[in-house]
Amino acid sequence: MKPIIFALFFIYNYICGFAQIFDSTLTPLLDKSTAPFAFGVASGDPHTNSVILWTKLYTQEPTTEAVKWEIATDTFLIQPVNSGEVFPEWQSAYTIKIKATELKPNTTYYYRFKYKNSYSAIGRTKTAPENADLLKLAVVSCSNYEAGHFNAYRLVALQNDIAAVIHLGDYIYESGSLPNPDKPKVRYHIPPHEIVSLRDYRTRYAQYRLDADLQEAHRLHPFITTWDDHEFANNSYSGGAQNHQSNEGNWEARKQVAKQAYFEWLPILPDTGEPQVIRQLQFGNLADLWMLDTRIEARAKQLTSPYDAELKNPTQTILGKSQADWLIDGLVKSTAKWKILGNQVMFSDFSAKHISKKYQRNLDAWDGYPADRNRIMDSLYAHQIQNIVVLTGDIHSSWAFDLARQQRNKKTYRKTPDNKIIGAEMVVTSITSTNADERVGKPLAKFAQSIIKNRVANPHLRYVNIIDHGYLLLELTPQYARGSWVYTPTVKSPSAEVDKTVKWQTHFDNNRLHRVK
Ligand SMILES: [Fe+2]
């Protein structure tokens, strides 16, 4: 580039904000020896012949130099099966995302990037199978950096036989805080304030992606992600959020910058148009997976009372009509053995009336949007569709529910054809985000857990744990769908240990959950 053009380009970039991609609080966290690939590599959305590859340059200088990529089946990338180059753009904060195509199904690949004379780490990924008799998926949610070490991400990274990691959201948290000696946290967010601007959100993602455990999980497995509320602000809905105040600016503007940052950092790439989290993936004849957005695109504002006359109104929607139509159409057409929903908030009808009249319903979950749930369940029964597994995050605790049209009707839900069990909901606990014992102490949390287990109030509730952190391993075969809740011993210090594993499974065409050793 000629000096004058370079100078003009630099001034243009500087004025447009190049120098301000990240908050200055990020600088001390960056080890310069890892530049320009300090944020590692990632892959995502595996199909039978393609996968998305991701990296992001960290450079202090404006650049127009190409980033080269290559993908191979051998660990040293001696014989690439595909390669190319892309040009980083400061508008996307030098995000590099490409769709590697012409790949073979059910095959492990290795990939890397090159910028000038620097190579990235070598990433590992895997394409989806055309047919499969066994499929293992790690399911994760709720990784609050301040709440602890990402030990569960480390365990996921070490799990060598999984096809992909399904992330159900709360990948980052929007809160900020300054160190308080009276209430110390395991670690602290940067920037130290609540994130609102594009630079804030970018900086927060950068901090998370400098975590060695999360970075390694991304390097070793393809991720299939969707967002929940904290990628935006707590208890968000289409038109706002509980944690968005008018003095924090316009909600639509905040939503847009949060979305932009999300798609800059996560390995999602559309074939055409804008990226979106609502999409379907297939794992041969064994499983179809629908990734949902129950938060941002169409969700109506949460009601505050379960007695509100609007509760059952179809306008009190969590999916919106077009997403619900798309999901039901896909479920009806699917020929896969297992139909998996990648969902954010609890789908099951759960009553806590026996515990607290005031908090008897979680109106931030599907219990606050019963018309949409009824429409989906009615469609499933009308088309005699079963073998459903709903995967859920959001609430920092583990649950397993039998799935039926009237789940709390204990007289009929196991017996009558119009209310038979047609699937299971498996709720994954948090990677680190605070759960019950960290809020109220272990004795009280254990007591609360024993009350929640009341089978009279909730006969469909088969398992609950409101104390431990970890991840869920979903194992699918033609015969069964097994959820293994894998728990870490602590989040207060780094650990790669497994504390315990609890397994529940359903059988194909039977669907009633039972515990296995
Ligand atoms: Fe969460």
Side-chain angles (χ1 to χ4, degrees):
M1 188 183 285
K2 288 181 180 172
I4 183 67
I5 296 174
F6 184 84
L8 288 171
F9 180 79
F10 183 85
I11 292 165
Y12 172 73
N13 274 333
Y14 189 87
I15 292 167
C16 292
F18 162 76
Q20 298 178 357
I21 287 174
F22 299 116
D23 191 275
S24 59
T25 50
L26 183 68
T27 312
L29 296 185
L30 278 160
D31 173 0
K32 287 212 167 56
S33 69
T34 61
F37 296 108
F39 303 116
V41 298
S43 69
D45 282 12
H47 292 275
T48 51
N49 60 2
S50 71
V51 69
I52 308 302
L53 306 180
W54 177 100
T55 193
K56 181 185 277 286
L57 288 186
Y58 181 67
T59 168
Q60 294 284 14
E61 298 164 356
T63 180
T64 55
E65 256 189 71
V67 174
K68 295 186 168 66
W69 62 272
E70 54 187 346
I71 187 165
T73 52
D74 63 287
T75 53
F76 294 104
L77 292 104
I78 292 165
Q79 289 186 307
V81 296
N82 206 342
S83 62
E85 59 180 35
V86 276
F87 293 91
E89 296 179 343
W90 67 266
Q91 291 95 329
S92 67
Y94 297 127
T95 302
I96 305 293
K97 264 199 250 186
I98 55 111
K99 184 174 185 177
T101 56
E102 298 171 40
L103 307 181
K104 289 182 180 158
N106 202 29
T107 304
T108 299
Y109 286 94
Y110 301 87
Y111 63 93
R112 70 178 168 186
F113 298 89
K114 185 185 180 193
Y115 174 70
K116 295 184 178 174
N117 292 321
S118 300
Y119 283 98
S120 71
I122 293 176
R124 183 185 70 187
T125 191
K126 194 172 184 186
T127 47
E130 275 182 338
N131 283 304
D133 289 326
L134 174 65
L135 184 71
K136 290 186 183 182
L137 299 160
V139 185
V140 294
S141 78
C142 298
S143 40
N144 188 332
Y145 188 90
E146 291 193 324
H149 294 273
F150 290 163
N151 296 332
Y153 279 140
R154 172 65 53 175
L155 293 179
V156 167
L158 294 171
Q159 181 87 33
N160 271 326
D161 54 353
I162 54 176
V165 179
I166 298 175
H167 203 301
L168 299 173
D170 288 358
Y171 184 97
I172 60 160
Y173 279 70
E174 83 279 18
S175 59
S177 61
L178 291 168
N180 176 353
D182 296 329
K183 275 188 171 177
K185 293 182 175 173
V186 177
R187 12 187 223 181
Y188 290 88
H189 272 148
I190 59 158
H193 52 266
E194 183 176 325
I195 51 175
V196 178
S197 69
L198 178 57
R199 185 164 54 139
D200 289 343
Y201 280 97
R202 283 172 165 170
T203 305
R204 187 62 55 82
Y205 279 100
Q207 180 186 29
Y208 277 58
R209 288 293 269 276
L210 289 172
D211 178 276
D213 297 324
L214 177 55
Q215 202 175 104
E216 192 68 349
H218 274 295
R219 187 179 75 81
L220 292 173
H221 304 294
F223 273 51
I224 301 166
T225 71
T226 185
W227 52 47
D228 195 11
D229 51 338
H230 289 284
E231 285 87 348
F232 298 84
N234 185 50
N235 284 6
S236 47
Y237 54 98
S238 182
Q242 174 272 331
N243 190 27
H244 178 77
Q245 320 306 329
S246 54
N247 64 2
E248 291 173 319
N250 175 280
W251 169 249
E252 284 304 318
R254 184 176 184 183
K255 206 164 84 169
Q256 285 313 314
V257 298
K259 259 189 196 183
Q260 182 179 336
Y262 184 86
F263 288 122
E264 284 177 1
W265 285 91
L266 278 306
I268 303 175
L269 189 64
D271 283 334
T272 55
E274 294 290 307
Q276 58 169 330
V277 294
I278 302 167
R279 61 209 190 281
Q280 188 190 346
L281 289 101
Q282 295 179 302
F283 295 90
N285 56 342
L286 199 52
D288 278 340
L289 168 67
W290 290 267
M291 295 301 283
L292 305 182
D293 173 7
T294 62
R295 274 291 171 199
I296 291 300
E297 296 300 340
R299 175 194 275 250
K301 187 176 183 179
Q302 299 87 340
L303 298 174
T304 54
S305 165
Y307 302 110
D308 193 313
E310 286 301 302
L311 184 68
K312 293 178 180 169
N313 191 328
T315 58
Q316 187 60 20
T317 183
I318 192 167
L319 290 181
K321 187 175 180 310
S322 62
Q323 186 177 190
D325 288 348
W326 164 82
L327 174 62
I328 290 167
D329 184 57
L331 286 164
V332 170
K333 287 180 179 154
S334 171
T335 56
K337 288 225 160 227
W338 299 98
K339 295 146 192 26
I340 315 294
L341 271 56
N343 161 63
Q344 290 81 13
V345 293
M346 190 184 281
F347 183 81
S348 290
D349 176 356
F350 176 73
S351 170
K353 205 172 182 176
H354 62 294
I355 303 169
S356 160
K357 256 200 157 165
K358 194 176 172 194
Y359 300 109
Q360 59 179 280
R361 291 280 168 171
N362 178 2
L363 297 175
D364 184 53
W366 286 74
D367 270 342
Y369 305 85
D372 274 11
R373 182 172 59 202
N374 291 343
R375 194 185 155 204
I376 290 168
M377 293 305 282
D378 287 348
S379 301
L380 294 174
Y381 280 84
H383 292 91
Q384 299 184 333
I385 299 168
Q386 51 182 339
N387 306 310
I388 306 288
V389 180
V390 180
L391 300 172
T392 301
D394 182 58
I395 46 171
H396 314 171
S397 45
S398 312
W399 308 66
F401 292 98
D402 286 327
L403 217 57
R405 179 147 46 186
Q406 294 170 28
Q407 286 175 292
R408 291 191 301 111
N409 185 343
K410 62 178 185 262
K411 284 190 184 145
T412 67
Y413 92 107
R414 286 184 200 162
K415 294 168 190 152
T416 58
D418 65 348
N419 203 28
K420 66 178 239 176
I421 298 168
I422 57 165
E425 179 173 18
M426 299 181 184
V427 183
V428 62
T429 187
S430 59
I431 296 282
T432 56
S433 305
T434 315
N435 46 26
D437 64 312
E438 289 151 347
R439 286 177 193 271
V440 300
K442 213 161 203 169
L444 194 53
K446 279 192 166 170
F447 177 65
Q449 189 170 282
S450 68
I451 295 175
I452 291 169
K453 275 180 185 161
N454 183 321
R455 295 294 304 278
V456 176
N458 295 287
H460 55 313
L461 173 59
R462 310 304 308 282
Y463 171 60
V464 60
N465 176 331
I466 61 172
I467 291 168
D468 293 306
H469 300 284
Y471 74 99
L472 177 74
L473 181 65
L474 179 67
E475 187 177 329
L476 302 171
T477 74
Q479 291 78 37
Y480 64 81
R482 177 181 299 163
S484 300
W485 282 260
V486 183
Y487 295 116
T488 55
T490 181
V491 295
K492 304 296 180 205
S493 57
S495 165
E497 302 292 313
V498 173
D499 181 36
K500 58 181 179 278
T501 303
V502 176
K503 300 175 184 177
W504 286 80
Q505 73 178 33
T506 70
H507 278 281
F508 186 74
D509 279 353
N510 172 312
N511 284 298
R512 187 166 179 237
L513 279 161
H514 61 277
R515 192 162 176 174
V516 289
K517 292 283 174 201

